[in-house]
Amino acid sequence: MYKNNIKTLQELVNTSADEYRNRVFIKEKNGKDVIEKTFVEFREDVKKAMAYVNTFSNGEPIHCAVVGASSYAWIVSYFGTVCGGNASVPLDAQLGEDDIADLLNRSDSVIFFYDKRFEKMIDGLKEKCPEVKAFVSLENDLLDILEKYQPEDFKPIEPSALATISYTSGTTGKSKGVMLLNSNLIDNAMCQDNESTPEDVVMSVLPIHHIYCFTCDILLSMRYGNQLCFNDSMMRIPQNLKLFRPTVILLVPMIAETMYKQIKAVSVAKPELSLKTIAENVFGGRLKTIYSGGAYLRPELQKAYIDMGIQMAQGYGMTECSPRISTADPSDTECAGDVGIIVNGCQVKTVDGEIMVKSPSVMAGYYKDEQATAEALTPDGWLHTGDLGYVDDRNRLFLTGRKKNLIILSNGENVSPEELENKFAGLDYISEIMVYSDDSVICAEIFPNRELYPDDSVIEKMFRETVDNINKTVPSAKAIRRLRIRDNGFDRTTSKKIIRQQSTHGWIIK
């Protein structure tokens, strides 16, 4: 695909259909069956959905929200919206009725596409969201639309047209609506080259409303002609890996960690099998590369996958940057703890330790929130990421923490809690950890894994020994001096990030 000709998502849909024609684009399960859709079939269905959406527009762009699990119907509703010059509002499928109602109203959505899990909410949403003109079930109503409407020809849209309003989960306050233009998303999908081939099979397991999943699974599959297989349940990842036999998969470190523990468990039960053989069986036998993002990836875990014959590399980004800022380099086996090489066309600088970014992928701003936009974007277009880090002489990006979480001690020392938390990664007696300042003392608080270690005295002993060893590796000013153990897990956002602004519940053991 000649990327310089692609300026909008509409052109991406059109060009991928012209180039890859009857190659299978989407595979998804429907009961015991697997449904396949080609690139041409996808374009035709997008044109039909667009014809329906445009009946509500009166010549002016409208906003259409969509919520649900990853599915062919989901992406048809999304592209049926944006290919007509309208904006899609992907919502988190973990949200409750009140939160969905709030976002439908705040985003000025006119159409709401939803899957069957949200049917019970619809009566309430109709009452709470009077400006929404149509509620469209992805399983039933959309099928009727695709049968009833004829494909409508694409009319050119501008790269500057708003494509997506993506609401951040946020750990404090109301979520903000990140406005991503067609040009932002296309730049991010086109910023690197030779990342894939039409022979690659991608299995998509992450939430589809996340820009990380949307850009790197969906848009890149359209660009490179990949076959994209939708995982229908987190509980069925093992079965679907064997069904679809992917060559590439995007994961967050938590999933990669869990799967590695399962591989190790099989190795203990069947010592005659090598880890590589077990991994090949677990991942379907064709997996070449795992791309990781969204959280800290232990270099030891990365090295373990590489030793099993699977390339594993870490990238970094944020919704406000569509999302890629740095991208994984699968050929780099150094496992140095970096989050990849800065992508083409992206400028990165640090100001007082904070990473700042300027690129054509950077958002237009936050929807109807001028104050938040002014806080995030400088007048000359630099984006405050809120992350602390640095760039080395090989253009690799390293993260050290979050600026807003930085602990400033009474002696003036700055301590990154994430830097200390990462030192606990991979310890099986710890389920969750948070490091924070407690009366000007650095405290580590854990929620232990009592399924593996039911005896609190054993947990206390292991926790003390771990902290003593960590304290030997850090300056005395950054040493952990107080320990707490919790009876229950930390409160989290829908994207599973620990909410740091919460009361602690653990008892002090040191």
Side-chain angles (χ1 to χ4, degrees), residues 208-426:
I208 196 168
H209 74 281
H210 285 180
I211 293 298
Y212 172 42
C213 171
F214 182 78
T215 296
C216 297
D217 276 349
I218 298 172
L219 297 188
L220 290 186
S221 290
M222 293 171 69
R223 176 186 175 184
Y224 290 109
N226 301 150
Q227 187 178 108
L228 180 63
C229 307
F230 286 129
N231 177 63
D232 61 338
S233 168
M234 296 298 284
M235 300 298 292
R236 285 192 287 275
I237 289 178
Q239 297 94 314
N240 289 335
L241 283 168
K242 292 180 179 180
L243 173 66
F244 295 124
R245 303 181 63 232
T247 62
V248 177
I249 191 168
L250 270 66
L251 296 177
V252 292
M254 181 176 67
I255 298 177
E257 191 86 57
T258 298
M259 300 195 76
Y260 180 63
K261 288 178 181 177
Q262 292 170 349
I263 291 168
K264 291 283 286 184
V266 173
S267 177
V268 171
K270 298 181 178 180
E272 70 276 11
L273 299 178
S274 68
L275 289 177
K276 183 175 182 179
T277 298
I278 297 169
E280 286 177 351
N281 182 60
V282 167
F283 288 104
R286 295 193 301 189
L287 189 67
K288 299 183 301 183
T289 308
I290 295 175
Y291 291 101
S292 175
Y296 173 71
L297 174 67
R298 289 192 301 123
E300 298 85 358
L301 180 64
Q302 182 182 11
K303 179 67 164 53
Y305 272 95
I306 292 172
D307 288 345
M308 293 189 298
I310 299 172
Q311 295 175 318
M312 188 179 199
Q314 173 89 321
Y316 161 71
M318 57 192 300
T319 304
E320 287 86 344
C321 206
S322 304
R324 294 191 291 176
I325 293 170
S326 60
T327 192
D329 178 6
S331 66
D332 185 355
T333 59
E334 187 177 335
C335 304
D338 61 285
V339 292
I341 298 172
I342 297 167
V343 299
N344 296 326
C346 182
Q347 302 174 63
V348 173
K349 66 180 181 180
T350 57
V351 178
D352 297 328
E354 181 189 7
I355 298 165
M356 298 190 69
V357 174
K358 189 175 187 180
S359 101
S361 295
V362 170
M363 67 171 181
Y366 296 113
Y367 187 62
K368 290 188 172 180
D369 196 336
E370 293 182 3
Q371 180 179 343
T373 299
E375 291 171 356
L377 293 171
T378 65
D380 57 348
W382 286 89
L383 171 69
H384 288 274
T385 67
D387 288 312
L388 302 171
Y390 62 93
V391 181
D392 73 1
D393 57 3
R394 292 170 55 184
N395 213 29
R396 296 182 302 183
L397 185 59
F398 291 78
L399 302 181
T400 57
R402 288 287 290 168
K403 184 176 181 180
K404 68 179 180 181
N405 298 336
L406 200 65
I407 298 170
I408 303 176
L409 300 175
S410 56
N411 61 5
E413 286 281 351
N414 292 347
V415 179
S416 166
E418 294 90 349
E419 192 172 357
L420 291 173
E421 289 164 0
N422 291 343
K423 294 179 180 294
F424 292 86

Side-chain angles (χ1 to χ4, degrees), residues 56 61-67 81 87-91 100-113 125 128-135 165 167 367-368:
F56 292 83
I62 61 171
H63 301 168
C64 305
V66 56
V67 68
T81 298
S88 183
V89 185
L91 300 182
I100 289 178
D102 175 57
L103 295 182
L104 288 175
N105 290 327
R106 287 170 53 201
S107 65
D108 298 314
S109 291
V110 174
I111 302 174
F112 179 45
F113 295 95
L125 292 173
K128 296 172 184 175
C129 307
E131 298 305 313
V132 178
K133 306 303 181 187
F135 292 80
I165 303 175
Y167 281 91
Y367 187 62
K368 290 188 172 180

Side-chain angles (χ1 to χ4, degrees), residues 420-421 424-425 427-436 443-450 453 456 458-464 466-467 470 480 482-490 498 504-507 509:
L420 291 173
E421 289 164 0
F424 292 86
L427 299 175
D428 61 1
Y429 74 89
I430 296 176
S431 290
E432 302 175 6
I433 183 166
M434 183 167 68
V435 173
Y436 56 91
C443 177
E445 182 170 332
I446 65 168
F447 173 49
N449 186 343
R450 289 196 174 87
Y453 298 90
D456 279 342
V458 173
I459 291 171
E460 287 189 18
K461 181 176 183 294
M462 298 174 75
F463 193 16
R464 289 176 188 272
T466 300
V467 171
I470 288 173
I480 299 167
R482 187 167 295 166
L483 312 183
R484 292 179 184 267
I485 298 178
R486 298 171 65 90
D487 281 326
N488 54 347
F490 292 98
I498 289 178
T504 58
H505 298 286
W507 69 87
I509 68 168

Side-chain angles (χ1 to χ4, degrees), residues 144-165:
D144 292 340
I145 288 168
L146 298 181
E147 289 182 4
K148 177 181 177 181
Y149 283 81
Q150 292 298 310
E152 187 173 289
D153 290 339
F154 286 146
K155 296 178 181 178
I157 60 176
E158 293 297 319
S160 59
L162 178 63
T164 295
I165 303 175

